[in-house]
Amino acid sequence: MAGKISIGQYYPVDSKIHRLDPRSKLLWVLIFVIVLFNIKEVSSYIIAIVSLGIIVKTSKVPFLLILKSLKHILFIMIFTAGLNIFLTDGTIVLFEYKFIQITKEGLQFASLIIVRLIALVISSSLLTLTTKPMELTIAIEKLLKPLKIIGIPSHDIAMIMTIALSFIPTLIDEMEKIMKAQISRGSDFETGTLIERVKSLLPILVPLFVSSFRRADDLAMAMESRCYRGDINRSKMKDIKFKKEDYIFFGFLFLVIVIINIV
């Protein structure tokens, strides 16, 4: 089951995106998110999506594997799109019945919201699929290193974030196993009132939390037995540094931003 989940997993293949410095990919995701939340024109969205498609193609990661991560936000996409369709005012009314009104502007805005969410999930999934967890930890730590001046433990934050990402596939896999076990015992998660369906989730959530705490305790004991002491006198067997490919990648990103601002 874990192989069906793309978020938090690393896909081992030799590509130009895989060979990039993990800081480059982290900064790309952050800049891409900021750009997506600031553009308004359809043409700008098209350019952003095309640039994302080029990066996905260059990464050699199967597109279907990336798309599988979208099923986990399907409800959020439908809910968000529905709110924008029915609550966005506009001048061109396409459908109206009593208090329900659907406008052309509402449909357009809802479509752009869906495109934005899909692009966000694909870009974040691509980050973990093309970056090893340890490299991601080092990248986050180096980017947050200036914050150590004011007493913020950058290494601990980086380690927590990386462990959380790597635990996502494991927890989803565990949840699916528990659900199948409960269904085989006659549990029903699809029918009944909303309160009954919420109550039916308790046999899933309780063992899932117990399993999560057990895995966290095992991980803590394993790290302690290997004398892990955070960032104290800690060296790195393989450090990361910017290469020629990273500057070319930033040049491509800068070109995309310039084109988006021009159109």
Side-chain angles (χ1 to χ4, degrees):
M1 287 294 179
K4 298 181 180 180
I5 303 160
S6 60
I7 299 177
Q9 282 194 329
Y10 174 71
Y11 185 81
V13 67
D14 185 26
S15 74
K16 293 180 180 179
I17 304 299
H18 282 72
R19 292 194 295 268
L20 288 174
D21 189 295
R23 288 171 294 179
S24 300
K25 289 176 275 188
L26 263 174
L27 290 173
W28 163 67
V29 172
L30 291 175
I31 294 172
F32 189 71
V33 169
I34 294 172
V35 169
L36 275 179
F37 275 92
N38 281 279
I39 58 179
K40 305 295 181 183
E41 301 296 328
V42 176
S43 57
S44 299
Y45 274 97
I46 293 174
I47 295 170
I49 297 303
V50 168
S51 67
L52 178 60
I54 293 173
I55 295 174
V56 171
K57 181 69 175 178
T58 308
S59 70
K60 297 182 181 180
V61 176
F63 191 61
L64 289 177
L65 179 62
I66 299 175
L67 285 181
K68 286 178 181 177
S69 59
L70 296 176
K71 69 178 183 179
H72 302 296
I73 65 161
L74 186 60
F75 173 76
I76 297 175
M77 287 194 296
I78 295 173
F79 180 74
T80 306
L83 285 179
N84 285 280
I85 288 174
F86 295 115
L87 299 180
T88 302
D89 296 326
T91 55
I92 303 176
V93 179
L94 301 177
F95 177 80
E96 188 172 10
Y97 178 75
K98 294 183 179 180
F99 62 91
I100 298 175
Q101 186 181 77
I102 299 177
T103 63
K104 181 181 178 181
E105 291 82 359
L107 284 175
Q108 289 176 341
F109 190 67
S111 301
L112 292 179
I113 289 293
I114 291 176
V115 171
R116 181 184 293 174
L117 287 173
I118 292 174
L120 289 176
V121 174
I122 290 177
S123 59
S124 58
S125 297
L126 192 63
L127 171 65
T128 56
L129 285 166
T130 60
T131 311
K132 295 179 180 178
M134 188 52 64
E135 291 179 350
L136 195 59
T137 302
I138 297 172
I140 297 173
E141 180 184 355
K142 283 185 174 291
L143 289 175
L144 296 178
K145 196 170 184 180
L147 298 178
K148 292 182 69 175
I149 300 174
I150 56 177
I152 296 178
S154 58
H155 177 81
D156 295 342
I157 294 174
M159 182 62 69
I160 291 169
M161 293 175 66
T162 307
I163 291 174
L165 277 174
S166 61
F167 261 68
I168 290 175
T170 305
L171 291 179
I172 295 178
D173 183 28
E174 189 78 19
M175 183 180 69
E176 291 182 352
K177 289 180 179 178
I178 294 171
M179 285 186 68
K180 288 183 177 180
Q182 296 294 347
I183 291 172
S184 67
R185 292 179 176 89
S187 298
D188 185 8
F189 303 107
E190 302 296 332
T191 60
T193 63
L194 180 61
I195 296 177
E196 290 174 345
R197 292 175 66 178
V198 170
K199 287 182 178 179
S200 67
L201 292 177
L202 288 177
I204 297 176
L205 296 177
V206 172
L208 183 63
F209 272 106
V210 172
S211 175
S212 301
F213 284 119
R214 185 176 64 250
R215 289 178 183 275
D217 186 57
D218 291 342
L219 178 61
M221 291 181 64
M223 294 173 72
E224 187 175 354
S225 66
R226 289 168 174 79
C227 300
Y228 175 77
R229 293 294 183 271
D231 198 25
I232 302 175
N233 298 324
R234 185 176 177 84
S235 61
K236 296 177 177 63
M237 185 175 68
K238 186 179 179 181
D239 205 358
I240 57 176
K241 59 181 180 179
F242 288 112
K243 301 181 289 293
K244 177 183 176 182
E245 292 81 0
D246 295 286
Y247 296 110
I248 295 174
F249 182 71
F250 280 121
F252 169 76
L253 181 60
F254 178 75
L255 180 62
V256 171
I257 295 173
V258 169
I259 295 174
I260 287 175
N261 288 319
I262 290 176
V263 297

